[in-house]
Amino acid sequence: MLILLLIVLFGGSFFFFANLHPHRTGAITSALFFGLSIFLLVLNMGTHLGLTKTTNNNRQTIRPTSTSQGVQLLVYQPLGTTNNERVYVYNGDQKSPLPGKRGLAKTTRVASSVTTTNAKHATLTLTTTKYTYQNQLAKVLFAIPGTKLATTQQVAHFTVPKSWLVLSSKQATRLKQAAANPTN
């Protein structure tokens, strides 16, 4: 929007000041508008001028992905070779609008943690921090139609009861195979 405003002011100032004898006034005014607009755009891109960070917490009860021999499981799939990035698989709460729908908590560029407690139910707390516009003027000046504001951080914190196991998908497969063969 700021770019469109710049074009209108830049072009309009030449038509407005064309009838005046000293064209320098129009040229100087247009140059000032142009320089100010570029300066504000650079500030917006570099320091997020006109934006503020807002944090949203979303807490939901989750159910185990599967139950193997009475043990409830929270399963994750490591991404890459460093095992720093994981995708957790869980079942949503039965009271949610889509009961039994399987959810994914992808942890790429996202912090995640799992805590074991004496609680009866497992919960997932998603804390999302994203940029929002400070006011309507900032939205008019800096909003580009069709784009979304960036999410700066997302933290997925699982709180599971002590009766649950947190296993990788390979470990869960091995546990299922071992449970299927009673001699093991």
Side-chain angles (χ1 to χ4, degrees), residues 38 46 60 64 86 89 109 125:
I38 296 298
Q60 62 180 338
R86 297 177 175 181
V89 181
R109 295 186 328 206
T125 304

Side-chain angles (χ1 to χ4, degrees), residues 55-134:
T55 302
N56 182 21
N57 289 323
N58 182 11
R59 184 178 176 149
Q60 62 180 338
T61 304
I62 60 172
R63 294 181 292 125
T65 306
S66 65
T67 303
S68 179
Q69 299 293 325
V71 178
Q72 297 172 327
L73 303 175
L74 177 64
V75 179
Y76 66 89
Q77 173 65 42
L79 297 175
T81 57
T82 60
N83 201 17
N84 291 339
E85 300 171 352
R86 297 177 175 181
V87 175
Y88 286 89
V89 181
Y90 59 90
N91 285 330
D93 186 14
Q94 287 181 331
K95 296 175 186 173
S96 70
L98 301 172
K101 181 174 175 164
R102 188 166 284 181
L104 297 173
K106 185 177 176 187
T107 63
T108 305
R109 295 186 328 206
V110 176
S112 68
S113 61
V114 178
T115 304
T116 305
T117 64
N118 289 327
K120 292 181 180 181
H121 303 286
T123 59
L124 167 62
T125 304
L126 283 174
T127 304
T128 306
T129 304
K130 63 173 57 175
Y131 284 110
T132 56
Y133 294 105
Q134 288 177 347

Side-chain angles (χ1 to χ4, degrees), residues 48 51-56 127-133 148-154:
H48 303 288
L51 299 176
T52 184
K53 288 184 180 180
T54 57
T55 302
N56 182 21
T127 304
T128 306
T129 304
K130 63 173 57 175
Y131 284 110
T132 56
Y133 294 105
K148 292 184 178 180
L149 292 174
T151 298
T152 60
Q153 182 183 24
Q154 188 174 18

